[in-house]
Amino acid sequence: MPFTAGPTPAPLDASLVSKLQRVSFPTIGHYLEEGFADFGIRRIVGTSRVVGRAITVRITGQDSTALHHAAGWCEPGDVFVIDTGGDTRHAPVGEVLAATLAIRGAAGVIVDGVVTDLDEVEPFGLPVYARGSSVLTTKLLSLDAGGVNVPVTCGGVAVNPGDVVLADRNGVFFAAPSVAAAIVDTALADDAEEPELVEELRSGARLGDLTGASAALAALGPDAASAH
């Protein structure tokens, strides 16, 4: 398909971003099943958590022309989500691309593929997520292919420009802003209860009693109730 450019997505609501910066990302996994990238995409460089707006880029396996163009328009807080079309040999992100994004204030970059220049990228502090690393890189081939701010696939998840991107040491999550907004308050409330739960466990309480799991099993019958 020829190169396609979509409109720049709207900024994320500042109050939503503030809440997402405080929430424990795995708590969201208590309530949702969709939007979680497969475990092959991991944090390769960096230590900080990622919260931001998805800027999507689709490239061919060998040509990163579209990505170089898009990087020059990065805005603070953006998270670049790169769909390589399944290529896991050519690295589209290295020192120069990471420097561009870091200097322009990107919150992170997620690559469904590989990256390079790990030692050189690390000082920039930009969190980089990928499937691994490679010394084989993409080229500037100027092909009429790929796209910027178009629907992409990353880690098995359909990602739209403007989606919420959350990433930390545990993995990567994508969602429409409306989905994130609908769940974040519940997740924050759960997080607030966890310290008290842990203290009760320290005092000898049984987890199943605290969560209701034991009562649920007891309701299944005497055999389930006596299982321990």
Side-chain angles (χ1 to χ4, degrees):
M1 295 180 63
F3 174 80
T4 305
T8 300
L12 296 178
D13 179 77
S15 63
L16 174 61
V17 171
S18 176
K19 290 178 180 181
L20 292 172
Q21 289 172 335
R22 302 196 310 270
V23 76
S24 172
F25 299 162
T27 303
I28 295 172
H30 294 172
Y31 298 98
L32 299 176
E33 283 292 326
E34 298 181 348
F36 301 90
D38 73 61
F39 66 88
I41 298 181
R42 310 293 296 176
R43 189 165 65 195
I44 304 295
V45 176
T47 58
S48 58
R49 302 196 325 158
V50 172
V51 178
R53 172 184 71 168
I55 297 297
T56 59
V57 182
R58 185 177 67 241
I59 64 173
T60 67
Q62 299 177 17
D63 180 24
S64 55
T65 305
L67 177 57
H68 279 231
H69 166 73
W73 295 92
C74 174
E75 297 180 11
D78 284 345
V79 182
F80 270 55
V81 181
I82 303 170
D83 179 349
T84 66
D87 186 287
T88 56
R89 298 183 66 234
H90 299 84
V93 174
E95 180 180 10
V96 173
L97 199 289
T100 299
L101 296 180
I103 290 168
R104 296 189 66 86
V109 57
I110 318 291
V111 183
D112 196 338
V114 294
V115 295
T116 195
D117 293 338
L118 303 189
D119 291 337
E120 292 79 8
V121 169
E122 193 166 23
F124 292 113
L126 179 74
V128 177
Y129 290 71
R131 294 189 181 276
S133 60
S134 173
V135 295
L136 177 62
T137 68
T138 55
K139 283 77 174 171
L140 294 178
L141 302 177
S142 302
L143 300 179
D144 186 11
V148 176
N149 284 326
V150 295
V152 300
T153 299
C154 186
V157 178
V159 184
N160 291 304
D163 278 354
V164 167
V165 185
L166 306 180
D168 65 8
R169 189 177 179 184
N170 301 291
V172 183
F173 172 72
F174 306 103
S178 59
V179 172
I183 199 66
V184 67
D185 288 333
T186 300
L188 284 169
D190 261 15
D191 288 345
E193 294 174 356
E194 286 192 1
E196 181 179 347
L197 179 66
V198 171
E199 286 306 309
E200 292 186 77
L201 293 171
R202 293 185 191 279
S203 299
R206 291 187 172 88
L207 181 60
D209 292 336
L210 298 177
T211 64
S214 296
L217 284 181
L220 298 177
D223 290 341
S226 62
H228 53 74

